[in-house]
Amino acid sequence: MELGVKEILQVIRKRSWWLVTIVVLASICAGIASLYLLQPKYEASGQIIISSANSTGQSLMSINEVNMDLRLIDTYKEIIKTVAMMKKVTASNPDIEHTPEELSRRVEVNSTSSTQVITLSYQHENYSQAAKTVNAIVLAFQREIPSLMNIDNVSILGLANEEAVPAPVSPNIVFNVAVTFMIALVGGIGLFVLLEMLDDTIKSEEELARLLNLPVLATVNIIRDTKFIKSNSATIHGEGTGSDVTIDAKV
């Protein structure tokens, strides 16, 4: 059974209350889960800046030197995320609870286009721990890059404030509810359309006429059994040799 746009709209209208119920319940459950069940996470960030390796004490930098520094950024971003670099971090900071492999997966390294600034971000259930971890990575990278690249061109632009009390970055309750709302709406419509397509019963004269390609000559209304169950009593008076007779008749 194929359904057109008109038939799909009829299915939605016919099952509108079920659809509204599913969407509302799903959205409420998503909100409750985001608010009470999902553990909040906090993000701490630190920034480093890549300066020119040949600009010690110079007030002006050539455009070629800036372009070379920009090309180094991609190399530095890869070096930061290596397990070897994270081993340096955990070796100098034994209080970090994650392994080098976990740090490599969880740290985010980003840079804005055409700038020499690299931002390192790290998420954790405890903000203080997140700030300590990202600061340790920034300091370890600045300390190790001269021996790795024979270039001392990394400066710290800013470290995370370990004493700050920021709001959690996740879960995003509004986003989760909105996504759940859309999934429930689309999924509910798809489910009802599928059920309608699998239902091969004939529900109207129009559908029967369309299937058989014949006109409808007459329709028979549904007759309920209750229409025939009535209790009536009738009194019949007649002439005879005896007195009048009363007859109770039930129809």
Side-chain angles (χ1 to χ4, degrees), residues 40-69:
K41 288 187 177 182
Y42 300 88
E43 183 177 86
S45 301
Q47 295 80 33
I48 59 176
I49 186 170
I50 310 302
S51 58
S52 176
N54 300 321
S55 61
T56 55
Q58 298 180 5
S59 59
L60 297 177
M61 297 171 56
S62 67
I63 189 66
N64 291 332
E65 291 174 342
V66 174
N67 290 333
M68 182 185 68
D69 293 337

Side-chain angles (χ1 to χ4, degrees), residues 120-141:
L120 290 80
S121 302
Y122 191 82
Q123 292 186 5
H124 195 274
E125 292 77 11
N126 182 278
Y127 174 77
S128 179
Q129 186 66 31
K132 291 179 181 179
T133 302
V134 76
N135 290 342
I137 296 174
V138 170
L139 294 172
F141 179 72

Side-chain angles (χ1 to χ4, degrees), residues 23-235:
V23 171
V24 170
L25 289 178
S27 300
I28 292 175
C29 291
I32 293 174
S34 300
L35 190 60
Y36 297 105
L37 299 182
L38 298 181
Q39 189 171 12
K41 288 187 177 182
Y42 300 88
E43 183 177 86
S45 301
Q47 295 80 33
I48 59 176
I49 186 170
I50 310 302
S51 58
S52 176
N54 300 321
S55 61
T56 55
Q58 298 180 5
S59 59
L60 297 177
M61 297 171 56
S62 67
I63 189 66
N64 291 332
E65 291 174 342
V66 174
N67 290 333
M68 182 185 68
D69 293 337
L70 292 176
R71 287 193 294 268
L72 281 174
I73 289 177
D74 290 336
T75 301
Y76 286 168
K77 288 165 64 176
E78 293 300 320
I79 293 175
I80 293 173
K81 291 181 67 68
T82 59
V83 176
M85 180 59 65
M86 296 306 160
K87 288 181 178 179
K88 302 287 186 181
V89 175
T90 55
S92 58
N93 299 272
D95 57 331
I96 294 179
E97 59 186 34
H98 295 297
T99 64
E101 291 77 12
E102 291 174 334
L103 290 177
S104 177
R105 290 194 302 267
R106 297 179 59 163
V107 66
E108 295 290 336
V109 183
N110 300 292
S111 61
T112 305
S113 177
S114 301
T115 68
Q116 297 170 260
V117 177
I118 298 178
T119 301
L120 290 80
S121 302
Y122 191 82
Q123 292 186 5
H124 195 274
E125 292 77 11
N126 182 278
Y127 174 77
S128 179
Q129 186 66 31
K132 291 179 181 179
T133 302
V134 76
N135 290 342
I137 296 174
V138 170
L139 294 172
F141 179 72
Q142 184 195 34
R143 184 176 62 251
E144 297 295 331
I145 200 65
S147 60
L148 292 174
M149 301 288 293
N150 294 323
I151 301 175
D152 189 7
N153 65 338
V154 176
S155 301
I156 298 176
L157 189 61
L159 294 175
N161 184 2
E162 299 181 9
E163 298 180 357
V165 186
V169 296
S170 67
N172 189 331
I173 300 176
V174 176
F175 176 79
N176 292 345
V177 171
V179 171
T180 304
F181 176 88
M182 294 302 301
I183 293 176
L185 180 63
V186 175
I189 293 175
L191 175 63
F192 294 146
V193 170
L194 178 62
L195 293 176
E196 189 72 18
M197 294 177 64
L198 295 177
D199 189 2
D200 56 358
T201 59
I202 299 174
K203 302 178 180 61
S204 64
E205 304 89 43
E206 293 80 6
E207 185 177 354
L208 179 62
R210 185 175 66 253
L211 292 175
L212 299 179
N213 197 21
L214 294 173
V216 177
L217 300 179
T219 59
V220 178
N221 293 328
I222 299 175
I223 302 175
R224 305 295 181 184
D225 294 338
T226 56
K227 293 182 179 181
F228 296 97
I229 304 175
K230 292 183 178 180
S231 177
N232 297 323
S233 60
T235 302

Side-chain angles (χ1 to χ4, degrees), residues 230-237 244-251:
K230 292 183 178 180
S231 177
N232 297 323
S233 60
T235 302
I236 302 175
H237 299 278
D244 295 339
V245 178
T246 300
I247 301 176
D248 292 333
K250 295 184 180 295
V251 181

